[in-house]
Amino acid sequence: MSTNPNTPGAGDITEDVKILHSMGYAQELLRSMGGFSNFAISFSIICILSGGINSLAQATSGAGGIGIGIGWPLGVMISGVFALAMAQIASAYPTAGGLYHWGSILGNRFSGWVTAWFNLLGLVTVLGAINAGTWTFFEGAFPGLGIENNLTNQTIFLAVITGGMAAINHFGIKLTAKLTDFSGYLILITAVVLAIVCLAYAPSWDVSRLFTFHNYSGDVGGGVWPEVSGGWVFLLGLLMPIYTITGYDASAHTSEETVGAARSVPRGIVTSVLWSGVFGYIMLCAFVLMIPDMDEAAKQGWNVFFWAMDAQVPAGLKEVLYVAIFIAQLLCGLATVTSASRMIFAFSRDGGLPFSKALAKVSPSYRTPVAAIWTGAILAWLFVWGASVVSIAGTSAYAIVVSCTVIFLFFSFVIPITLGLFTYGSSKWPKMGPWNIGRGAFSLFAVLSIVSMVLIFVIGVQPPNDWALNITIGFLIVTGIVWLVFERRRFQGPPIGDMIAKKQAEIAAAEAALGK
């Protein structure tokens, strides 16, 4: 095996391809990502410089300092139990669109199909949320450019950056991986520098502020949350860390492009959550300590980050940090396009989407699923545009998209985890991968994931994000109708049993067409 965790070895790739063939699929995507690249793509999507900053008001205008001091590590642990359970399954089944396959293999065609749709919608909406947040950050960070914050400018901005992200993905995983590798270092360095700057310009280091509760719901918190009771506003604030620490399924989605995937993928899932949690906590705690007055900060609502930076940090230093954060947010969106497109590709490969044949096609020149890349990017752009136009009940498009993202993604996580709880060691899941935490630990994390999903759903549909409930119910109704009327007889799911052996000639032909 290659000694460098980010340098592909021929033996590793041969074993990876054998595993993929044994699951009934051809090696169509270019397998060139090493272990660090697999970690970096999830770490880039989590991007503490995106969700951690753009969603900051959900904590500071909710329960105050304790929303970071206690809320952040609690939210990270909630996301972490999903990551640990998913890592166990990913090691056994390292394929693109991992969650879809896990839901199908550990359950049946229907559970896999529902998992795929939840995950696909979650990935499209998270891309929309990331890029909508990037627009909000851009508009707040660079007012000197004179770009007015209106729907037309937002729509053009999102079209430009989302199109750029799709174009980079179009031209191959090598370029994307280099940029997300750079993003991993950029996030770490910028988070540390931002923390140092915040501590250097803090009026005092009042650490007790991080563990002090204050109910800022209602007008005293800039209207971020409606007026609610104390304990409830703390729980609502958990949406900030839970939303930020997600997207680590990207490591699974790029399994077929990762060398030594059975080991690298689960490691990428878990370590991306771990290091995002640690560095995010350092950065956000330092920021809270820098705030000159918590009551005034709460009143700023969604503008709290810029208000505090303007009040405490010199202009030149502040602008340098803003540029680094903006670049990190763009690379966060870039990595999300990669993840979403691999989900679309994998689901289409088994005929799960309209126009599946086109969406599952891989470019011989670039070895990327070109149609899937552009489809995911366009859908994300349309979703944000629709949310912005509707502007439901005065709620910001960003808040609506964030709530939908959290619900959809974590539902797609919990379905295969729950199925794994009941099939571990059975004929459906007889063999564990090399990354194995044992049945007892997996069962514990699976149960905690189910409990956490209930909490996430309950807090995710509360006002002012109650339209997330309507959207979720509407999705479930439409999904049920589509399955019963169209897909129940047509959709076959991933190849299993004798189907795998019958597909070997098809696999050879597909790889030959790509020059392998």
Side-chain angles (χ1 to χ4, degrees), residues 70-86:
I70 300 297
W72 177 268
L74 180 58
V76 172
M77 284 191 288
I78 289 172
S79 290
V81 298
F82 286 90
L84 286 162
M86 288 164 59

Side-chain angles (χ1 to χ4, degrees), residues 84-94 102 106 416-417 420 429 435 442:
L84 286 162
M86 288 164 59
Q88 176 81 62
I89 307 174
S91 184
Y93 302 107
W102 309 342
L106 302 179
I417 290 172
W429 191 8
W435 201 91
F442 175 81

Side-chain angles (χ1 to χ4, degrees), residues 5-49:
N6 209 42
T7 302
D12 299 327
I13 295 175
T14 300
E15 183 62 27
D16 287 324
V17 173
K18 283 182 181 179
I19 293 172
L20 189 59
H21 287 177
S22 73
M23 299 181 70
Y25 296 111
Q27 181 65 59
E28 296 180 273
L29 302 174
L30 181 63
R31 196 178 288 271
S32 62
M33 293 174 64
F36 180 81
S37 294
N38 186 272
F39 154 81
I41 198 164
S42 284
F43 188 70
S44 296
I45 296 178
I46 293 172
C47 192
I48 53 178
L49 299 176

Side-chain angles (χ1 to χ4, degrees), residues 189-342:
I189 293 170
T190 305
V192 170
V193 172
L194 179 58
I196 292 171
V197 169
C198 287
L199 292 175
Y201 290 96
S204 65
W205 292 3
D206 182 11
V207 177
S208 65
R209 170 183 289 182
L210 297 168
F211 308 102
T212 301
F213 171 83
H214 195 294
N215 187 343
Y216 289 117
S217 62
D219 292 340
V220 295
V224 171
W225 299 114
E227 195 166 337
V228 294
S229 64
W232 191 242
V233 79
F234 174 79
L235 292 177
L236 291 173
L238 292 178
L239 280 176
M240 190 271 279
I242 291 172
Y243 162 68
T244 303
I245 309 294
T246 192
Y248 41 85
D249 53 325
S251 288
H253 290 310
T254 53
S255 291
E256 292 178 29
E257 292 153 284
T258 301
V259 179
R263 291 180 174 83
S264 295
V265 169
R267 189 163 52 240
I269 291 172
V270 174
T271 55
S272 63
V273 172
L274 173 63
W275 293 118
S276 294
V278 170
F279 281 88
Y281 192 58
I282 293 169
M283 178 187 77
L284 292 171
C285 285
F287 177 81
V288 171
L289 294 179
M290 183 189 71
I291 291 173
D293 182 273
M294 285 302 298
D295 292 342
E296 285 299 315
K299 290 178 184 177
Q300 306 307 312
W302 294 103
N303 195 47
V304 62
F305 180 76
F306 297 115
W307 172 82
M309 293 291 284
D310 289 344
Q312 300 300 118
V313 181
L317 181 55
K318 180 179 63 178
E319 293 298 324
V320 171
L321 286 169
Y322 285 174
V323 170
I325 293 168
F326 179 63
I327 293 171
Q329 291 186 4
L330 291 175
L331 294 175
C332 173
L334 172 73
T336 308
V337 171
T338 307
S339 185
S341 65
R342 274 41 174 190

Side-chain angles (χ1 to χ4, degrees), residues 140-208:
F142 309 111
L145 296 176
I147 300 176
E148 186 181 348
N149 185 7
N150 57 42
L151 179 60
T152 299
N153 287 338
Q154 174 185 297
T155 302
I156 294 171
F157 177 89
L158 292 179
V160 170
I161 66 168
T162 308
M165 294 165 186
I168 292 171
N169 271 276
H170 180 130
F171 292 114
I173 191 63
K174 286 187 176 180
L175 175 58
T176 302
K178 287 179 181 178
L179 289 171
T180 53
D181 286 356
F182 167 74
S183 174
Y185 292 114
L186 178 65
I187 292 168
L188 289 174
I189 293 170
T190 305
V192 170
V193 172
L194 179 58
I196 292 171
V197 169
C198 287
L199 292 175
Y201 290 96
S204 65
W205 292 3
D206 182 11
V207 177
S208 65

